[in-house]
Amino acid sequence: MLALRNILWISLLMLAIGIEINQAKKCKIPENNEDIDWDKVKNDWYMVLHTNDEIMKKDVIGAKFQNISNTNEGMRIVITDLHENSPPQTFTSHKTKRRDGVYYGKKSEEQAFLASHTLTPDGGTNDKAKKIDDALFNGDILSLCDEKNFLVNAFCSLSDEWVVWVAFPTLNPTIHQISLMWNKLIEKGIIVQLYPSKTVENPELMESLK
């Protein structure tokens, strides 16, 4: 129940702020951002909030992030995406660093990677989700992380709207952790409506991976 109250609180806060701030502001990655030492981002992280984009609102119900570390080019992370109607997919994501806090995603040819976002359970392709992937791998990705409370990946869709995925080191983040995350988004000029992943309300789905 605490997690649900947290989600309700942040949703109401974002709604109130959205009334005062022009949400039509053009999506643009900020120039000045903080560097991240990925070797300090320990333990497992979980997708908790997202902008309900075509990837997240269809088949992906949650994600788990593990083995985060620095590389010579930037960073790497092992991701397990949970799906509504198909088996979980685990793959390794590599990102190349452009400048502090800004990365370029490298698209993998791993079948698990390709299946995780755009393939439908019946073997077809979700064209709307593919457009999100096209934006993800053809533009800059803003990473915001204080190394212990929140981890945000944000990028611009092909229609110039923010796509934001937020992870925490728990499926049940505290009000303090959510506030730190939201304050950082505001600082960067990112005003969006966020929605809880299905694994927040059904943590047993994520626990089945252990």
Side-chain angles (χ1 to χ4, degrees):
M1 287 300 294
L2 179 58
L4 295 181
R5 287 199 297 270
N6 287 351
I7 299 302
L8 177 60
W9 179 84
I10 192 65
S11 296
L12 291 174
L13 175 61
M14 287 186 290
L15 178 61
I17 293 175
I19 293 173
E20 299 179 5
I21 298 179
N22 181 10
Q23 297 194 52
K25 184 177 181 180
K26 183 177 180 180
C27 181
K28 183 179 180 182
I29 302 292
E31 289 296 325
N32 298 314
N33 302 289
E34 299 77 27
D35 194 18
I36 301 169
D37 184 350
W38 294 105
D39 287 337
K40 293 182 179 179
V41 184
K42 304 295 186 181
N43 305 316
D44 298 340
W45 291 68
Y46 303 91
M47 175 79 73
V48 172
L49 297 167
H50 55 75
T51 40
N52 206 36
D53 56 87
E54 289 296 330
I55 288 177
M56 293 302 166
K57 75 179 182 181
K58 294 295 184 181
D59 191 40
V60 178
I61 61 175
K64 184 177 183 178
F65 306 134
Q66 298 174 290
N67 302 325
I68 303 172
S69 63
N70 294 314
T71 65
N72 290 335
E73 295 78 22
M75 63 89 69
R76 69 180 289 276
I77 181 172
V78 176
I79 301 173
T80 299
D81 281 345
L82 274 71
H83 298 265
E84 185 87 56
N85 301 304
S86 56
Q89 300 284 352
T90 299
F91 55 91
T92 302
S93 175
H94 296 271
K95 294 180 184 177
T96 300
K97 183 178 177 180
R98 288 195 185 278
R99 59 182 188 276
D100 287 354
V102 179
Y103 296 80
Y104 184 85
K106 180 180 179 182
K107 190 166 186 177
S108 170
E109 293 302 317
E110 286 185 62
Q111 186 59 34
F113 186 98
L114 298 174
S116 195
H117 286 176
T118 61
L119 293 189
T120 59
D122 62 2
T125 300
N126 181 338
D127 290 332
K128 292 182 179 179
K130 185 178 182 303
K131 289 182 179 180
I132 299 296
D133 257 8
D134 289 343
L136 176 63
F137 296 109
N138 289 283
D140 288 344
I141 304 167
L142 174 64
S143 290
L144 305 170
C145 182
D146 69 350
E147 300 170 356
K148 60 181 180 179
N149 289 295
F150 62 85
L151 195 169
V152 175
N153 283 305
F155 58 97
C156 299
S157 72
L158 297 181
S159 57
D160 207 30
E161 297 178 344
W162 281 109
V163 177
V164 179
W165 300 336
V166 185
F168 295 93
T170 172
L171 279 172
N172 185 20
T174 65
I175 295 294
H176 177 65
Q177 288 174 316
I178 294 173
S179 296
L180 290 174
M181 176 276 300
W182 182 238
N183 287 339
K184 180 57 66 174
L185 288 182
I186 294 175
E187 177 187 316
K188 299 300 178 181
I190 303 174
I191 307 301
V192 293
Q193 180 69 49
L194 296 178
Y195 301 81
S197 297
K198 290 186 179 180
T199 47
V200 172
E201 299 177 18
N202 301 278
E204 67 278 3
L205 298 174
M206 189 65 70
E207 291 168 0
S208 67
L209 293 177
K210 298 179 180 180

